[in-house]
């Protein structure tokens, strides 16, 4: 289904980059799939899996199509690297202009669907997302986590006592869901990753 | 410069060393130390972004070295290295599955210039069983590229680095178990030329030592597999230059002419042993020890650590066969760490009066094996003649004994005693059989000259083979002896004890 | 590298395996069992508890996979999205739904991605085996449930590792069965496991538990290297070099099932 375009200039910019027909950066809902155009073969949106976000809303992963997206896997009770992942996502966003930020989505999917209820996800989001951002924090069925981790090249293993051992990777998807960059650099910004990201975002108006 | 000569008796080999004396160093000599400033290391190795079109690196198989770069600007260099797992000969009649960078042990030689940006592609052939990666010691950055290049069979990976430090560096695989990947031959050399290049020489060669661990004993025939316990015990079955016992001998020996300067890029892949690299009969005029920037002059033996390298340069004055060894000398004579450099040219009796030795290696195996099988058939039918034994023995001698005793039975003066007209050989048939089966060590006198070295036991040969080889040796090069029968060998084998570690 | 010596015991109940042969393919029931894995399940922990499960006797063959592809054409090599399989997927088959001469019906299917293997098992109401299940089943020798201390057994595995994969593969089921009646766990093809991306070995095997700890959240980067187990560790190294859409000429799979 198609949502009304409501944000003028961004739409054109994003559409140009991403061949997408929608934006909706100002709403909480998820973006709209470009109708008709098939998803590229390498796109992670080939995965048929449904996400439940911090508001309890369900959406298909492929519905994220439309904007460049930062995506990572984490879990809220993680004491080690996950808060750093969130800090890194935040740092990335804060290094961008307000305009660039609007062209970008940030998605964190939990390794731990059992304990990461919408409420837990919501609290984590509130704690970490920058002012004015609408991060999507979501959980999905265990087997889906495995597939999502597989396509993002993330290694993880559940340990006893609810701990997950996992590699900390932030992936950059283009508007069609193809992984264009990955980084394992935490806190500091990975220059190459940022370069690829900036090239995808709308030019700041001069 | 005065050249004095002095004779040095090493504990095993009598070596003639020419010593330089009264040599003074000029103060701008880079080897002089305090007078020179350093090169600045990695901090001074960045000459800016790559210029010009990307260049595809020339890779060479050992013992060849890619030509000098003669380039005055930093470039983007593309290196494509393919990992292949290959069954190859490690010794005569012995094969081993090597894991290689580029199909050879050591792997392809890579040559770049300091400041170059290298786009490195690692390809793992689809036929590979194992994943592999590469750690280049010439890379600045954690793991030297290993974590960026971990590659499954049938896949490829890529990473880019800037070569900030000049020098000669080892590269190797760092996949678990690392020691095993290295022991299977996964190493090679990358030369990072200084910006001004290296002084031209007549020949550049690539030689790399490695230690190998097989379940079977030294020279035990057939396909041998890796022995982890021996590797952990650091007890190699083979210590080799360029991955095979015959890699650099006979017609595969390194070549040069007198009056020419040779530069050897020598690496040591290990995994375990440190090499005491030495060329019998030569003195290195210069050694860039540890592959670094400074050179030492007039060096007899240079130490090359496992995972390290050195550049050795010398001018050849006297023709003949020069033998490259690890001077931890049992490795040379009992585990294979032996290679040859043949220098052609006119004699110069003023420098060396010795007799030149013809070190021809008759490597023609195809024809020779017919003789062997004929002999086997004939014996089975009870009609083996001495002539058949001689032809079969000749073929087997060529593969087994000629590396040391030479194709013409003359041996090498001071190192390997002659078999031609050898009073020792001809005096006692039983002793000759024992020598082949059980080896020989300690002082022996052959034709009035003393030898004090070690011949490894050859008990892996069958009784037939020993009989044929000795029949050939005792009826060739002026020797006139009787045939040696298989039964005589069987009898000696049954009544003597095998050396420890030798095949039964 | 941290060396942890781990005692390998297949403790307890090695129930003689029972043959069930359900779900269309011949399979065997194993466990429940407690055993010691090369991969510690948690820091300081050794024993892994396995619920009872069923495992295919043999790897999946070309013929079986062909039937699957015909029934589920989205897994044909000319339809599958790159996300799910690389360009070599089933490339040795003569056509998208034909085997041809270089893919004999009884040979194990290879050049299949994790996604394809997983989909195949799911189509049978089964799943891929987990690493622990696979390791447990493959620890058996011909006559004992745990042959991992037997040097001769280990050597046969290593000999297979040492042979490049340039020769055509044998048909499945040629090798003699192990203690449980399972065949070809060693010596024919590598096999996908469900949690191949859970092994967490770093791409540079030397940094396990080292400076790069931060790369992995929580303890548990693989930090074991019992030298007696390097045959198993090499399999882990192999699996950890894979991505989910990779296919190679010597990588196949078999399916597992919860025991009912
Ligand atoms: Cu390797």
């Amino acid at each position: 289904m198609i949502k009304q375009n409501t944000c003028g200039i961004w739409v054109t910019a994003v559409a140009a980059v991403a061949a997408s027909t929608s934006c909706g950066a100002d709403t909480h809902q998820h973006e709209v799939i470009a109708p008709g155009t098939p998803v590229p073969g390498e796109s992670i949106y080939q995965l048929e899996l449904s996400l439940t976000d911090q508001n309890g809303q369900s959406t298909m992963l492929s519905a994220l199509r439309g904007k460049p997206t930062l995506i990572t896997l984490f879990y809220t009770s993680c004491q080690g690297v996950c808060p750093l992942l969130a800090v890194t996502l935040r740092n990335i966003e804060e290094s961008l202009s307000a305009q660039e930020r609007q062209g970008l989505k940030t998605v964190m999917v939990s390794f731990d669907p059992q304990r990461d209820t919408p409420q837990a996800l919501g609290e984590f989001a509130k704690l970490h997302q920058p002012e004015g951002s609408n991060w999507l924090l979501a959980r999905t069925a265990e087997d889906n986590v495995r597939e999502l981790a597989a396509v993002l090249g993330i290694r993880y293993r559940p340990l006893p006592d609810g701990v997950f051992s996992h590699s900390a990777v932030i992936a950059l998807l283009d508007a069609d869901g193809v992984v264009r960059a990955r980084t394992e650099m935490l806190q500091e910004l990975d220059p190459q990753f940022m370069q690829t990201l900036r090239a995808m975002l709308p030019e700041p108006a001069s | 410069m005065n050249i004095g000569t002095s004779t040095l008796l090493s504990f095993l080999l009598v070596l003639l060393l020419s010593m330089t004396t009264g040599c003074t160093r000029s103060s701008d000599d880079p080897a002089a130390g305090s007078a020179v400033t350093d090169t600045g290391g990695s901090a001074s190795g960045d000459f800016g972004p790559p210029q010009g079109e990307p260049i595809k690196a020339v890779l060479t198989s050992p013992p060849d070295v890619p030509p000098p770069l003669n380039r005055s600007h930093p470039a983007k260099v593309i290196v494509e290295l393919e990992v292949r797992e290959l069954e190859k000969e490690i010794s005569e009649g012995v094969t081993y599955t090597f894991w290689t960078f580029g199909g050879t042990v050591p792997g392809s030689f890579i040559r770049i210039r300091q400041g170059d940006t290298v786009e490195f592609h690692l390809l793992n052939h689809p036929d590979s069983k194992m994943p592999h990666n590469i750690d280049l010691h010439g890379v600045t950055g954690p793991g030297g590229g290993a974590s960026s290049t971990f590659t499954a069979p049938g896949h490829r990976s890529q990473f880019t680095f800037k070569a900030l430090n000049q020098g000669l560096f080892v590269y190797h695989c760092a996949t678990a178990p690392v020691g095993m990947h290295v022991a299977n031959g996964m190493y090679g050399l990358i030369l990072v030329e200084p910006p001004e290049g290296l002084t031209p020489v007549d020949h550049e060669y690539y030689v790399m030592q490695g230690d190998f661990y097989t379940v079977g004993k030294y020279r035990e025939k057939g396909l041998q597999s890796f022995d982890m316990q021996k590797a952990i015990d650091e007890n190699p079955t083979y210590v080799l230059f360029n991955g095979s016992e015959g890699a650099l001998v006979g017609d595969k020996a390194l070549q040069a002419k007198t009056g020419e300067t040779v530069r050897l890029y020598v690496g040591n892949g290990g995994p375990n042993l440190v090499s005491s690299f030495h060329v019998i009969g030569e003195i290195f005029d210069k050694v860039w020890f540890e592959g670094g920037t400074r050179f030492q002059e007039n060096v007899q033996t240079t130490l090359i650590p496992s995972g390290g390298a050195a550049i050795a340069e010398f001018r050849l004055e006297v023709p003949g066969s020069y033998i490259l060894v690890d001077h931890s000398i049992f490795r040379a004579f009992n585990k294979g760490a032996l290679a040859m450099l043949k220098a052609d040219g006119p004699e110069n009796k003023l420098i060396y009066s010795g007799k030149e030795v013809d070190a021809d290696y008759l490597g023609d195996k195809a024809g020779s094996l017919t003789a062997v099988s004929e002999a086997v058939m004939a014996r089975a039918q009870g009609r083996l003649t001495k002539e058949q034994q001689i032809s079969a023995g000749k073929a087997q001698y060529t593969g087994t004994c000629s590396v040391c005793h030479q194709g013409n039975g003359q041996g090498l003066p001071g190192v390997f005693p002659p078999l031609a007209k050898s009073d020792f050989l001809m005096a006692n048939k039983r002793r000759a059989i024992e020598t082949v089966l059980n080896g020989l060590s300690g002082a022996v006198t052959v034709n009035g000259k003393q030898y004090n070295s070690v011949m490894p036991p050859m008990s892996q040969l069958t009784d037939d083979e020993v009989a044929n080889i000795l029949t050939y040796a005792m009826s060739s090069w002026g020797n006139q002896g009787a045939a040696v029968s298989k039964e005589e060998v069987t009898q000696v084998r049954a009544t003597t004890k095998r050396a420890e570690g030798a095949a039964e | 590298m941290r060396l942890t010596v781990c005692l390998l015991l297949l403790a307890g109940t090695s129930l003689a395996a029972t043959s069930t042969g359900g779900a269309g393919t011949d399979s065997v029931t194993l466990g429940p069992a407690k055993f010691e894995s090369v991969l510690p399940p948690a820091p300081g922990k050794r024993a892994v508890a396995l619920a009872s499960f069923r495992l295919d006797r043999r790897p999946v063959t070309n013929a079986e996979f062909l039937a699957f592809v015909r029934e589920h054409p989205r897994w044909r090599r000319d339809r599958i999205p790159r996300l799910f399989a690389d360009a070599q997927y089933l490339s040795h088959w003569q056509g998208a739904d034909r085997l041809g001469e270089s893919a004999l019906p009884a040979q194990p299917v290879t050049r299949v991605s994790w996604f394809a293997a997983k989909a195949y098992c799911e189509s049978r109401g089964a799943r891929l085996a987990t690493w622990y299940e696979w390791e447990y089943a493959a620890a058996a020798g011909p006559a004992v449930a745990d042959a991992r201390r037997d040097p001769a057994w280990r050597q046969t595995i290593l000999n297979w590792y040492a042979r490049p994969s340039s020769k055509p593969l044998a048909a499945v089921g040629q090798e003699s069965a192990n203690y449980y009646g399972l065949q070809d766990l060693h010596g024919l093809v590598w096999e996908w496991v469900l949690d191949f991306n859970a092994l967490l070995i770093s791409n540079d095997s030397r940094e396990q538990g080292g400076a790069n700890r931060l790369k992995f959240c929580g303890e548990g980067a693989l930090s074991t290297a019992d030298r007696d187990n390097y045959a198993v560790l090499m399999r882990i190294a192999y699996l950890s070099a894979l991505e989910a859409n990779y296919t190679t000429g010597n990588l196949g799979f078999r399916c597992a099932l919860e025991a009912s």
Side-chain angles (χ1 to χ4, degrees), chain B residues 281-309:
Chain B
E282 257 304 337
I283 297 151
F284 303 131
D285 296 329
K286 291 177 184 167
V287 173
W288 283 261
F289 44 96
E290 294 160 10
T293 319
R294 304 264 180 270
F295 59 78
Q296 170 67 289
E297 291 184 273
N298 308 316
V299 175
Q300 57 190 308
T301 299
T302 189
L303 208 57
I304 309 182
S306 173

Side-chain angles (χ1 to χ4, degrees), chain B residues 99 131-133 173-175 181 186:
Chain B
W99 296 347
H132 301 282
N133 61 9
C173 181
T175 302
H181 283 251
M186 300 202 77

Side-chain angles (χ1 to χ4, degrees), chain B residues 469-485:
Chain B
I469 289 172
L470 282 175
T471 304
Y472 166 68
M474 296 173 85
S475 314
S476 306
W477 321 301
N479 294 344
Q480 280 161 8
V484 177
S485 75

Side-chain angles (χ1 to χ4, degrees), chain A residues 143 147 155 157 165-166 184, chain C residues 118 198 200 215 217 242:
Chain A
D143 190 55
E147 296 200 345
R155 321 248 147 190
R157 185 147 73 107
S165 177
H166 64 94
E184 299 189 22
Chain C
K118 189 166 176 281
L200 277 184
K215 262 172 89 172
C217 176
L242 301 174

Side-chain angles (χ1 to χ4, degrees), chain B residues 324-340:
Chain B
L324 287 58
V325 293
D326 179 341
H327 212 295
S328 294
I329 209 74
F330 275 99
R331 299 175 190 168
F333 298 122
N334 300 64
K335 298 190 171 188
L338 190 145
M340 267 187 206

Side-chain angles (χ1 to χ4, degrees), chain C residues 24-43:
Chain C
T25 309
D26 200 6
S27 65
V28 161
T29 303
L30 286 85
K34 265 191 144 189
F35 89 113
E36 301 220 337
S37 167
V38 187
L39 267 184

